[in-house]
Amino acid sequence: MATDLTMNWEWPADREPTDKLIISVEGINKHSSGWFGLKKSPSFVEAMPDPVDLTGKVLSGSDLLSQKSIVITLPKLELGEVSAGELLAVGVIGDKTCICVRKVTDKDEDLSEWKCSQD
């Protein structure tokens, strides 16, 4: 199955999300560091501590993204105790940058007051 949307991680740096999504987590896998670990070099912009690829499906948020498959590469530490089958709120800037995540219990949870700075 092809992925509809791929996102990368940036720390919030006092920014707040322009969009908030709730996704159903389908899997969490260690991110490939490329041949000979080349992507782990500190000179690469995408270098991050202990990266993982989170795969899932968008359940709510942007109508344009609803039911689309998604892959987000982010530091494992940011996920906390999230595992496959659970729900995750994702704060997004633009259309390809995730800046914050948090576990939620309901796909219809109100995220209107959620700020990345609260986590």
Side-chain angles (χ1 to χ4, degrees), residues 1-9 18-24 26-27 31 52-74 88 90-99:
M1 181 172 137
T3 300
D4 296 314
L5 181 62
T6 302
M7 289 190 176
N8 288 311
W9 174 264
T18 55
D19 200 3
K20 299 169 188 170
L21 309 174
I22 294 182
I23 64 170
S24 172
E26 294 175 351
H31 181 70
V52 294
D53 291 329
L54 179 141
T55 57
K57 183 171 293 244
V58 178
L59 300 179
S60 65
S62 169
D63 289 336
L64 296 173
L65 300 177
S66 184
Q67 297 304 309
K68 302 243 181 199
S69 63
I70 187 170
V71 174
I72 304 171
T73 301
L74 71 162
L88 191 67
V90 177
V92 177
I93 289 183
D95 58 354
K96 297 209 182 238
T97 305
C98 173
I99 63 168

Side-chain angles (χ1 to χ4, degrees), residues 69-115:
S69 63
I70 187 170
V71 174
I72 304 171
T73 301
L74 71 162
K76 184 177 182 180
L77 179 64
E78 295 297 326
L79 281 178
E81 296 296 320
V82 174
S83 57
E86 295 185 301
L87 301 177
L88 191 67
V90 177
V92 177
I93 289 183
D95 58 354
K96 297 209 182 238
T97 305
C98 173
I99 63 168
C100 53
V101 296
R102 80 172 170 112
K103 195 173 179 179
V104 294
T105 57
D106 185 345
K107 73 177 183 88
D108 296 317
E109 188 165 326
D110 180 15
L111 300 176
S112 62
E113 300 297 318
W114 176 44
K115 307 263 189 232

